[in-house]
Amino acid sequence: MKLALIGGGSVRSPEFVRGALAFAHDLDLREVWLMDIDPARLAALTPLCEEIARQAGAPFRIHQTTALDEALRDASIIVTTIRVGFERGRVLDERIALRRGILGQETTGPGGFAMAMRNVPALIEIAQRAEALAPRAWTFNFTNPAGLVAQALLAAGYPRVIGICDSANTAQHDIARWLSRPVDEVKTEVFGLNHLSWARAATVEGRDVLGQLLDDDAFINDTHLRFFDVDLVRRIGMFLNEYLFYYYYRDVAVERIQAEELTRGEEVELLNRDLFPTLRELPPAAALRAYDAYNQRRSASYMAYAESDAALREERLHPTERTRPPHHAQAEVGGYAGVALRAGLALTQDRPLRIALNVPNRGAIAGFAPDDVVEITCNVDGRGVQPIAIGEVPEAQYLLMRAVKRYERLAVEAILQRDRGLAVEALAAHPLVGSYALAGQLVADYMEAHREHIGAWT
């Protein structure tokens, strides 16, 4: 089997290769192709990926290329993780929103829209070439905003693209770790949209254990649920996606981000600016150690703004080697590599799997259209992907989902038609904006900042 990682110059690529090692035998994985438009990044990261494979006995070969067709041809699994505009684009997305007093976060709200403006056209081009060169392949998209991207690719006529997000399955992993159970023994019921989802049940040996876990202060404090007021968690009675912090505490999030000297995007940009020269100067084994130290520091500061404890928030905003990430290391392959490879194994080798993905609703959640892309627990096997039946959801969750889905639908239409008026309407519809005047200012700012990547809109 051949696997193509599009965006192979991403700093996540070595971790992806580590994950692929666990699946190499079952997938009969022979080739992993790293494709990127930036040859310098590929040149820095490919030796690390080769070193990881070498230390594991080289079960597959690593190839690097800047040619999209070469990477895609005859691939069985394709993973897309691109960022048009690189880290600088992310910095602009965050700062433009914050200057208007709006949440500056790369995937949620206006930052997510700006990111989608740049990424969706590039992903459509990738999907077109994949259809021609690898028509039987499944594509797993990790490019953000993953749910909106999946909606856009479905609307553009590419149904074999599945949206993946590691945060969609955090409840399953955290509960399995807490109970010292294998991950697949915990059956969660996740529903919502990408970065806007809830787990309403977690069944172990036929018994729903979620309620008793949410009543346990120790469990809450050991997971990202500590980001939220404990009374709120228990009143809702579900395991909350960490990105709900930006909706439930939007004023707090904006205040904390604006109080810091650097945004998350600026922090990552600085970390990467230091990383790549270091990697180029060191032999592979030493470069891999430097990379692991970088990865620990970057992971430790993830969503640091959301920490309710001021001392812990300060520690994670300025991490040391001992700072604990908000998500514990998982015994099983975690992150987006785990989601893509586990689902890919289920689809290509008919290994039944239950996992949360971003796929068309198909009647699973009441009140949503069949082609509304939702984040939902699915049964996956050789026949395809089938979302589980959720039915009606509580009104508070339903109304928030409907508002964000309306934004996503308008945003997709705006991007596919390159229509500035629809872009303003889309952002005005988003709960984190809610103003035509603000939406118009944001759209004008983003189009000016990213004109090199998005071209002219009507």
Side-chain angles (χ1 to χ4, degrees):
M1 176 180 289
K2 174 181 176 179
L3 185 152
L5 182 61
I6 310 303
S10 163
V11 291
R12 292 176 178 262
S13 295
E15 287 303 307
F16 185 91
V17 170
R18 279 189 172 125
L21 292 171
F23 294 85
H25 179 267
D26 286 349
L27 285 171
D28 192 22
L29 186 58
R30 305 295 180 87
E31 302 175 63
V32 173
W33 284 72
L34 308 178
M35 181 272 160
D36 205 280
I37 63 171
D38 187 331
R41 291 196 177 207
L42 277 178
L45 290 167
T46 300
L48 273 67
C49 296
E50 292 172 335
E51 178 66 13
I52 290 168
R54 185 194 67 77
Q55 291 180 8
F60 48 74
R61 290 189 61 194
I62 304 289
H63 302 265
Q64 63 170 311
T65 182
T66 57
L68 178 63
D69 284 9
E70 187 178 19
L72 293 176
R73 186 172 287 108
D74 300 325
S76 297
I77 295 175
I78 300 164
V79 178
T80 48
T81 173
I82 67 171
R83 184 187 293 277
V84 176
F86 297 103
E87 289 83 7
R88 177 47 32 179
R90 176 179 183 173
V91 169
L92 292 170
D93 293 345
E94 293 174 347
R95 280 296 178 194
I96 285 170
L98 287 170
R99 283 202 299 268
R100 301 289 182 183
I102 301 296
L103 178 72
Q105 203 282 328
E106 66 162 341
T107 67
T108 305
F113 175 76
M115 195 177 191
M117 281 199 306
R118 304 192 302 280
N119 288 338
V120 166
L123 289 165
I124 288 175
E125 179 184 349
I126 293 167
Q128 288 173 339
R129 299 309 299 151
E131 192 173 70
L133 298 168
R136 296 177 62 83
W138 285 97
T139 296
F140 297 94
N141 175 65
F142 186 64
T143 301
N144 277 317
L148 195 157
V149 163
Q151 190 74 64
L153 290 170
L154 182 65
Y158 300 102
R160 290 177 71 86
V161 179
I162 296 171
I164 61 173
C165 182
D166 38 3
S167 68
N169 294 284
T170 301
Q172 182 189 32
H173 283 275
D174 279 359
I175 292 169
R177 175 184 51 80
W178 183 259
L179 298 177
S180 299
R181 296 274 190 162
V183 165
D184 288 331
E185 286 188 9
V186 179
K187 310 295 184 185
T188 53
E189 293 184 6
V190 173
F191 72 90
L193 307 178
N194 181 237
H195 288 181
L196 189 84
S197 61
W198 301 260
R200 70 178 186 181
T203 303
V204 178
E205 295 181 349
R207 185 171 66 92
D208 187 359
V209 301
L210 183 58
Q212 71 182 57
L213 291 174
L214 296 183
D215 285 338
D216 186 343
D217 288 348
F219 173 76
I220 287 178
N221 289 329
D222 200 54
T223 69
H224 73 253
L225 291 178
R226 67 181 182 272
F227 296 171
F228 306 88
D229 292 329
V230 66
D231 289 344
L232 175 65
V233 174
R234 288 171 180 156
R235 188 161 61 251
I236 293 173
M238 303 184 201
F239 192 101
L240 311 179
N241 186 298
E242 65 258 44
Y243 284 85
L244 286 167
F245 179 84
Y246 296 121
Y247 290 89
Y248 293 162
Y249 301 89
R250 63 180 179 181
D251 53 337
V252 174
V254 171
E255 181 181 355
R256 288 179 182 173
I257 294 171
Q258 288 182 325
E260 288 299 316
E261 182 180 353
L262 300 177
T263 65
R264 173 66 170 168
E266 288 165 342
E267 177 193 13
V268 171
E269 184 179 45
L270 285 173
L271 286 171
N272 289 357
R273 191 178 297 164
D274 292 339
L275 174 69
F276 283 101
T278 300
L279 297 183
R280 295 185 188 104
E281 294 171 359
L282 296 173
L288 192 55
R289 290 192 293 273
Y291 168 81
D292 287 338
Y294 154 90
N295 217 29
Q296 170 67 19
R297 181 177 176 187
R298 175 169 171 166
S299 298
S301 59
Y302 168 73
M303 286 202 72
Y305 306 114
E307 290 287 0
S308 55
D309 182 272
L312 184 55
R313 183 165 66 249
E314 180 64 20
E315 177 188 356
R316 289 190 47 228
L317 283 166
H318 305 94
T320 67
E321 293 180 0
R322 300 175 61 183
T323 305
R324 191 190 76 174
H327 296 307
H328 295 278
Q330 299 159 355
E332 291 81 4
V333 175
Y336 83 99
V339 179
L341 293 166
R342 296 181 78 214
L345 179 64
L347 287 164
T348 61
Q349 308 298 320
D350 195 21
R351 303 278 187 91
L353 173 69
R354 185 181 172 103
I355 195 168
L357 301 167
N358 285 264
V359 296
N361 182 50
R362 299 180 196 159
I365 303 175
F368 285 80
D371 63 344
D372 278 336
V373 169
V374 294
E375 187 161 277
I376 189 169
T377 299
C378 299
N379 291 314
V380 187
D381 56 27
R383 295 170 296 178
V385 179
Q386 181 60 48
I388 66 170
I390 293 292
E392 293 188 358
V393 300
E395 184 178 33
Q397 283 71 39
Y398 176 78
L399 292 176
L400 183 54
M401 289 168 61
R402 287 300 318 161
V404 175
K405 179 50 67 176
R406 180 169 182 267
Y407 148 76
E408 288 186 350
R409 287 284 200 171
L410 288 167
V412 166
E413 191 176 355
I415 292 167
L416 295 182
Q417 296 184 22
R418 305 172 66 78
D419 188 312
R420 181 187 290 257
L422 281 174
V424 173
E425 188 173 351
L427 276 187
H430 199 289
L432 297 179
V433 179
S435 161
Y436 274 92
L438 268 177
Q441 294 165 350
L442 288 165
V443 167
D445 290 346
Y446 284 131
M447 289 191 170
E448 173 63 23
H450 300 304
R451 62 185 183 277
E452 174 188 352
H453 299 294
I454 67 171
W457 284 39
T458 56

